[in-house]
Amino acid sequence: MLDHLITHDDNLRMVPTDRNELTAAVGRLREELRTLPEGSDSARTRVLTRWIGIAQMCLGNHDEARTFLRQSLDLAAAIGNSRAVVATGLNLGDAHRYAGDAQSADALYRSALSTARGQHPELLDYALQHTGKHLMERGDLVGAQGHLQEALRLRIAKGDAELVESTQAALDRVELLISQTGAATAIPATAGEWTGWLQSRTTARTPARWAGDFPALRDAIRGLTSQQHVAPRHLRHRRDQSFPADLLAAMAEEADKAITADGYLHNGKWNAGVGDAAHHFAEQVDLTAVVGRSAGLNVEQPHTGVYIAYREEGQFLDFHVDEPGFGEANLILCLKHERPTGVPRVSTTVFITVDGYLECDLGPGDCVVFDGALTPHGRTPLSASESVTLVSFGFRARDQALHSVPDPRSTPA
């Protein structure tokens, strides 16, 4: 609607191509909004308030920009237009960022990015681009680089040269800032930075790329995983470890009900809190012994647990590391894996180790023990008619000295 009147300055912020023309255009939109007949379609009001807000942001009128964009976002949510919720949420995030309110901007970008990943993948590149610019301005150059590199891959796949050029310009600026501030600042330090760093260099979505990707990752992964408490180990049901069938079945039933009733999308998968069946399982089965035998780590009883489900074709979990608070050891147990027949490969839990990529094909009763904070992990995409239900438990080491995770900035990048 007003695209032709908006460009980007040297700081990659939106500004008018002609201030007088944009101001006049805003006046016309405001007049149309004012004269809309009572009972008009709220969709038109949503569009008008959004573009007035965007224009006011470009003109530097931050209070009005936030007022109109908030109205537009509320209308989008009220009419159930989740696509508009993502787009307008990003605009409102920009308005807060331009006004210097980084905290509000951060919340809006994260919400839009989460919704885009879960519901509108066609908007994911936009969410990554806006979030990447936000992180750049906050000084999180590694996080910005990771988001923008993922956006660039998506835009190259779209084949839109203008979008590719926009993202490449933002990425060039971030990489210039990294080079100016020194290589040390570009080394990941937190779980979020490591996740962004990993996702900018490899992906669980495309297993065929792994062989070519790993040599470039080897040194950083060696430094990261050298500090882990538990190396990944796949334990197969009945061969390495047997769990009572009735307890597994009870958890599988509880997981299905919990995900249907209270499930929420998180990082592209369905999560739900565990209940009585999982607590009973943990009480009846000595999981600390399972972790101890497989990892040689003395842990307390699990302090947290979550059900995880993958239901749709193509659903996957990209490589990441967990926040340290989940514990020094993780145990992922497969409760149900419905497998299609005649497909070349099924979805697997996958890790990046110092020796390369480790895939674990988990069937019901199979589990894998690992250190989620210091071992990159994810899940490859589901095939058609495939579904996976898991439960994840977190364990803390009895040795209090192990609770502090070393600063990964001591590792090579």
Side-chain angles (χ1 to χ4, degrees), residues 40-47 49 71-85 88:
S40 296
D41 183 4
S42 58
R44 183 58 182 171
T45 303
R46 178 193 67 76
V47 172
T49 51
Q71 182 182 351
S72 182
L73 181 59
D74 290 344
L75 284 169
I79 63 181
N81 188 338
S82 58
R83 197 176 190 279
V85 166
T88 311

Side-chain angles (χ1 to χ4, degrees), residues 147-201:
H147 283 73
L148 291 170
Q149 286 177 328
E150 185 179 356
L152 184 62
R153 289 201 303 268
L154 293 173
R155 290 184 163 183
I156 290 172
K158 280 185 174 182
D160 189 317
E162 186 174 349
L163 292 179
V164 170
E165 183 181 358
S166 172
T167 304
Q168 187 63 63
L171 190 56
D172 289 345
R173 181 170 178 79
V174 169
E175 291 176 346
L176 175 62
L177 291 171
I178 288 173
S179 68
Q180 290 174 341
T181 55
T185 61
I187 298 174
T190 67
E193 290 179 6
W194 265 107
T195 294
W197 189 91
L198 288 162
Q199 292 177 3
S200 71
R201 288 160 172 79

Side-chain angles (χ1 to χ4, degrees), residues 112-173:
L113 186 56
S114 176
T115 304
R117 285 194 188 280
Q119 300 180 37
H120 293 286
E122 75 279 7
L123 297 178
L124 181 55
D125 58 317
Y126 292 95
L128 289 163
Q129 173 97 348
H130 285 253
T131 306
K133 290 182 181 181
H134 163 65
L135 293 173
M136 177 186 67
E137 291 190 6
R138 289 187 61 189
D140 180 1
L141 301 182
V142 172
Q145 185 183 47
H147 283 73
L148 291 170
Q149 286 177 328
E150 185 179 356
L152 184 62
R153 289 201 303 268
L154 293 173
R155 290 184 163 183
I156 290 172
K158 280 185 174 182
D160 189 317
E162 186 174 349
L163 292 179
V164 170
E165 183 181 358
S166 172
T167 304
Q168 187 63 63
L171 190 56
D172 289 345
R173 181 170 178 79

Side-chain angles (χ1 to χ4, degrees), residues 303-388:
H303 68 96
T304 187
V306 63
Y307 288 127
I308 301 169
Y310 299 83
R311 293 287 184 263
E312 294 85 30
E313 180 181 0
Q315 197 170 16
F316 77 109
L317 176 62
D318 220 342
F319 290 115
H320 66 286
V321 293
D322 298 331
E323 294 295 338
F326 201 72
E328 285 67 50
N330 306 64
L331 185 148
I332 291 180
L333 171 63
C334 180
L335 302 176
K336 185 164 54 176
H337 191 166
E338 296 180 356
R339 302 163 179 259
T341 57
V343 297
R345 62 182 296 130
V346 294
S347 176
T348 61
T349 299
V350 62
F351 303 89
I352 307 179
T353 74
V354 69
D355 296 317
Y357 293 84
L358 171 65
E359 288 193 82
C360 297
D361 182 1
L362 302 180
D366 290 352
C367 64
V368 59
V369 178
F370 63 104
D371 182 341
L374 291 166
T375 310
H377 56 285
R379 172 164 283 276
T380 61
L382 265 66
S383 301
S385 303
E386 186 177 12
S387 67
V388 180

